[in-house]
Amino acid sequence: MSVSTSPRKGTSAPKDEEQRLRELGYQPVLARRMGGFGNFAISFSVISILSGCMTLYGFGMSTGGPAVMLWGWAGVGLFVLCVGMALAEVTSAYPTSGALYYMADRLGGRKWGWYTGWLNLLGLLGAIAGIDYGAALFTGALMKLQWGFAPTPGKTMIIFVCILLLHAVINLFGVRLVSILNSVSVWWHLAGVAVIVSVLAIVPSHHQSPSFVFTEFVNDTGWHNPLYVAAIGLLLAQYTFCGYDASAHLSEETSNASVSAARGIVRAIWVSWVAGFVLLAGLTFAIQDYAGTQNTETGVPPAQILIDALGTSGATAMLLIVIAAQLFCGNAEVAAASRMVFAFSRDNALPGSSLWRKVSARTQTPVPAVWLSVIVAGVLALPSLYSATAYGAVTAINVIGITPAYAIPIFLKLRAGGRFQRGPWHLGRWSKPVGWIAVVWVAIVTVLFLLPQSSPVTISSMNYASIALVAVLVLATVWWFVARRSYGTPSAYGNAREQAEIEEGII
C-alpha cells in the first residue's frame, strides 16, 4: 500500500497549518505546542491497552473466553486499522478540533455534521466515564489487597469522582503538560506490558496450554447461540480500539497537523494492536483457576490472575503499573473530549455554547469545556451504583456513540468521489477499498453492540447503550430546531460576525 505524506511546500509547517486553519474558517486561538510524537501519544494513551484490555478482561472471560479474546483481538484490530487509515485520510484534509463533525459538515452538509457531532460527543464522554470508572475499580482492588478495603459500589464511585477531578485539574494547566504526560504514557504502556508479560511468563510454575489459550470457548452469558456470544465478546477489543480520533481533535494544537495527526491515528492503532495481543496472551497463559478468577472478591479478574501467579506483593506492583496507565489514559481522553466540546460550541451546537467555547487567555485551554466533560462523564457512570452490568453499558455507550461517528465522514468522502480534495497524507488507489471495508465494519459492530449482553434480559442486566443512543439522537433532533439558525461551520475566516463570536471566547 502506498501512502503519501509529502508536506505542503513553500512555508514552514506551523505557519502553513495556521493558514490552513483560516482557510477552513477558523481563527487560531489554541496553542500549537504539540509535536508529531505527542499527537501519536494522545491517541495511543486513549486507546490504552492497559485500560481497555485489563478492565474488560472479566467481560471477555464470560463472553467467549480465551478463544474470542485472542482471535477477536486479532480480527477486530485489522478492521479497526482500516477504519483508522480511512479516517486519517480525511483528517489530513480537515485538521480541526471539530474533527469528525467538521469533516461530515464539509462533505455532507449541516445535518450530517450536526448528528455526527452529537454521536462523537456521546462516545467521547462515555469513554471518559468508562476509562476512569475502570481505574476506580482497579484502585479499589489494590486497596483491598493492601488494607482490606471493601470496594462497594458507593466507595468505588467516590474514587471515580476523585479521579475525574484529578484529570480536570491537570487539563487546566495547558496542552504542553498534557503532551508531556502523553509522551511518558507511551513508554509507560509499552514498558508496563513488557514487565507484566515477562513476569507472568517467568514466575508462575504453571501455565495454561496453547490449545486452551487459543481455542477454549466459554459462555456464561445465558445465551445459547455461540456465534451470538462470540459477537458480543468482540466488545473487549472494539471498546479498547476507541479514541484514536484524539489525534484529530488535538490537530489545532499540533505542528504540521495535516501529516502528524493522520500519522498519529494510524500509528496508535497498529502499535496498540501488537502490544495488546501480547498482553492478552500473557494474562491468559497465566490463569491458575478460571472460575476463581471470574468470581474474585477483588471484583477485577486480572487482579486475581496476578495474585494467584505472583502473590500479593507481586500483584500489588503490577496493579500499580496498570492503574498509572489507566490514569494516563483518562487524562488524555478528557483532553480530547474537551476539545470536541470547545469546537462544537464554537459552531453554536450545544446549549450554553457561549460559555463552553471560552478559552483561557493564560493557558489557551478551553476551561469550561474541561469541566463540562468530566461532569457529564460522572453522570453517565451513576447507574453503576445500582446495576452490576451498568459498566458494560457505559463501555457500549462509548462504542456505539463514537464508532458510527468514525464511519460517517469516511462514507461521505466515498460518496463525494472527485469532489473530495485530499490532504498531504492519503491512501492513493487504496482509498476506496479501505474506505468501504471501514464503513461496512462499523455498520456491523454498531448493530452488535446495541444487542443485550446477558440473558435473561432484566432491568438490571439490559444493555442501556440503546437507550443512551436514542436519547442523544432525540436530544440532537430537538435541539436542532432550536439552534439550526445559529449553528454552522464557517466557510472562511474573515466574516465580521464570526470573528466577533470567536473573540468573545477568549477570557
Side-chain angles (χ1 to χ4, degrees), residues 13 93 148 166 184 194 200 203-204 286-287 292 301 316 334 378 389-390 416 418 435 467 486:
L166 170 66
V184 173
L200 289 176
V203 176
I287 294 175
T316 299
V334 170
T389 60
I467 295 177
S486 59

Side-chain angles (χ1 to χ4, degrees), residues 2-8 92 256 258-259 262-263 423-426:
S2 62
V3 176
S4 172
T5 57
S6 57
R8 299 172 185 269
S92 181
N256 194 24
S258 297
V259 172
R263 283 177 175 168
W425 194 102
H426 58 83

